[in-house]
Amino acid sequence: MPSKDALEDAMANAEVETALDIARQTGVFKCQDRDLRELPSALRRLPHLTEIHLADCRIRQLPDWLAEKDVVALSVLHGEFTRFPDIVCELTALKHLSISGCNVKSIPSTISKLRDLRQLTLSDCGLSEIPMSIADMENLLELDLGGNQLALGPHLELPFNLIYLSLWGNNFTQMPESIASMRDLRSLFLSSRGSTPEGRSAATQRPMPSGPDSMNFIMARSGARQAIESLPEWLFHSCRRLDWLDLSGNALHRIPREISELRSLRVLLLGGNAINEAPVELFDLPNLRELELSDNRLTLLHSQIRPRRQLKYLGLEGNPLNLPPEVVAAATTNPAMVFEYLRQVRASRRALDEAKLLVVGEGAVGKTSLIRRLVGSGFDEDERKTEGIDVTQWQVTPGGKDTRLNIWDFGGQEIMHATHQFFLTRRSVYLLVLDARQGEEQNRIDYWLKLIHSFSGGSPVIVVGNKCERITLDVDQRGLRAKYPNIVAFIETSCATDSGIETLQQTISETVDELSHVRDLLPTSFFEIKRHLEGLDANYLTFERYQRLCIDHGVDSETAQELLIGFLHDLGTVLCFRDDPRLRDTNILNPRWVTGGVYRILNSHAAAQLKGLLRWPDIEEILRSDDYRPDKLAFVLDMMRKFELCYESEQTYLIPDLLTKEEPDTGDWADALRFVVEYDVLPTSVIGRLIVRMQTFISHGTVWRTGAVLAMDDNRALVKADSSDGRLTILVSGPPNGRRGLLTAIRAQLKAIELTIPGIVSEELVPVPGNNAKSVPYSHLLRLESAGHRTVIPQGLTTEYFINDLLQGVEERTARAGVIVRGDDPVANAEAVPSPASEAPGQWSVKQSLWLGACLLITLLIVFGGYAFASAKLGIGVALALAGTALVVVVVIGLFVLRSAGRISESGFVDALKHAVDNRASSEPK
């Protein structure tokens, strides 16, 4: 017969039971469960309970029996405490205490009884003051009071021996003077809203409280208005051991030169203040590795500054500095480049006066003819189709200043889109050319405008309705302007009659004049090297040859050489891939030569006939010409691999954009896990790049132009893209435990691809079981789960679905716990079903409880009556076996009731059911 403990364990929530099992082995109880309302009594029976970590639980008080335990670490994150638990002050063995996101409002003075406490976190707790007794805690080394409502006052006394102090997000207007006595202080956080969890540089990780891994360190939101206006003089003399200082988001106006006294500083975060000057002494700190000055009021940096080699990150974004964006960006990886630029410009300089005009649109809309008209070359009725990218130079005079406009004519065929991302850069104006004889659907105007937005970062767009000989452009101009505010004009043209060309030229000139950074100042020597590279007959050269060219023109600093080549790469004068070992012999490239080779393969009739499956002899034949020597053919293929346009498998190069469009028979996916990613616009390159990235997982060569079948261990996944609907569908079959792993691998690669397309908008959707036409956004489900909701009603349905069941197939709950969903919830049409009672979600009503109790009582009476009858007629042994079986039936019925009420998840139900059956089997007579 099952024991009482076995029956209790079977009825317990499976997640809590798992945490208890771990606690029995390690003495550490760690649980994140919205339904946990009290510490399990089983913990009291543990001989060694040393750590308790609770997150998102509904516990309102801690039991008195905790005082019997030698607990050394206690953390509560986002609990439901309304006051500080008195029992905590009796846990005299505590060394680490963290209470975060709990509205306790005040701390008792008896907290000083915790004399062994080394680390104390009381963040986001609604505190307006702290007891003076905290200053007497002599062993306390780390204190976090961030996200509260603290202000300067007579009661703000702090321990003098701290090495870590966090006071972010409070109401301070000046630094608390008690900090002056902290001679050993290493890390000080006084930002207005909290710091990022790690430094900007990979080499600098944010110091964290030294307590055990307790799920307790968070960046909470505070309603406080911290605005420290100045740095006190005592800071530089009393806190000389500081190595991390965060004062971001305050109201500082200046940095005193005495900052040089803080020679131990490794990280200094001053972003989001009102600082107007960066003193030279700041850059002479010997150990400084990261300096954040973004979003201040800096107007000048001194060219004589020579930052130390140790400085790896310098943030300058958001300042009114007259610096090219390439220089500002370079400072985040090599700060010395900023000051090298300033020195070079100071010696001799001239304005850039150069920009790009990028001409895009569907094939055969007249882009090339339009460019010829713009530059005054006339009209050719038999104009050839553009294969690849043509670059034409055009001199314009916006604002009366001569400016060179590099016109890039992109091929409009679908296979060309994959490479657009490598050329859409700053200082650009876009011409979207439409065929006025076609409708919006044939011109795919929405697709192109969304694509431009995805890649360009808000550059201006001029929409040109071409071929307007006898008709006008019929599009919803008002609606498109509202949807895409970067549209500056709609212009009708005819290349055949020259109609509208002059208007277009004037509009382009005015738009270029308003571009940022077109007049950026550059060293004169940079222009000389740029002009020399543009005039070279060579299609590629090594970095060493480039360096010799720089030295010949007086640019002998390695830092200046690196800055220049990065600038020329961004401008599109050259392509530089110095860090790629595959391209070590051809580091610097002519963009036309690169794209010419790539597009010669993509546009090849032979490649199309071979359905994108090319062997080496095929490539030799396609690229046979004087421009592409045999010893450089492998390089062209390496470029295509770098651009994620192809991959090699069994001595065959597969080009996803040229594979057959026909989807093969991939098998039955009826019972598969479904997941959908929906895009505002789905660039055709996304699925091709995903195929290249996941090439090692492709199952038995099952791949076509818009999809593939992937395999990992015993699981298979079908990935399909539908660009017209902007949806990418993922189906995963096989053992349930392995599905999540394969889905996670696919999602990770998709996220990596999306990061290279800055303006892309995507949303992950979880289809509803049994109704694949309906789905709920994944991020919305995470928010509902975090808020404590158990069920959701998707839009258009009336059925409730358990949130945990929908999410469980995507990620385990422990993995979801680390996900932070940012921003406002974009989904307002999926109704979350709140818990039955706002005070205690998930509790049954009195009527329900009485009904369940009556049913169980009747069932038990029947079991005991049957036991008495069986004992009299069949003997005690048989009666015990029958009674045990009957009790297991009672447990199973109870589990079904709990599951139907949402009290346990599906996985918890299954685990508990197995537990009950296993215990019944183990109790059978041997």
Side-chain angles (χ1 to χ4, degrees), residues 364 384 392 440 465 471 537 642 645 709 825 899 918:
R384 63 176 178 83
T392 305
E440 289 190 26
I471 58 174
D537 290 332
K642 183 179 182 65
L645 293 172
V709 175
D825 192 340
R899 173 62 184 143
D918 290 345

Side-chain angles (χ1 to χ4, degrees), residues 16-129:
V16 175
E17 183 60 35
T18 300
L20 285 170
D21 287 341
I22 295 174
R24 292 183 184 106
Q25 301 172 32
T26 65
V28 177
F29 180 73
K30 183 185 290 189
C31 185
Q32 180 173 9
D33 189 344
R34 298 289 301 183
D35 291 327
L36 188 65
R37 286 174 167 71
E38 60 182 20
L39 278 183
S41 58
L43 289 174
R44 186 176 187 179
R45 298 193 291 271
L46 298 186
H48 304 290
L49 179 62
T50 58
E51 296 181 23
I52 299 174
H53 305 296
L54 306 172
D56 297 321
C57 298
R58 297 199 178 273
I59 294 176
R60 296 192 171 188
Q61 191 55 268
L62 297 175
D64 291 342
W65 57 257
L66 267 186
E68 305 167 7
K69 302 294 182 181
D70 292 328
V71 177
V72 297
L74 171 64
S75 71
V76 181
L77 171 61
H78 291 157
E80 292 197 351
F81 293 154
T82 55
R83 59 189 300 272
F84 191 88
D86 294 331
I87 192 62
V88 170
C89 297
E90 305 300 322
L91 307 181
T92 54
L94 273 181
K95 296 183 184 298
H96 306 278
L97 173 61
S98 174
I99 298 179
S100 299
C102 303
N103 197 25
V104 297
K105 297 288 179 75
S106 63
I107 306 298
S109 59
T110 51
I111 195 172
S112 61
K113 294 167 64 175
L114 305 178
R115 297 192 176 278
D116 291 335
L117 201 64
R118 294 174 58 84
Q119 181 258 321
L120 174 60
T121 296
L122 297 169
S123 61
D124 198 25
C125 286
L127 304 178
S128 57
E129 61 180 15

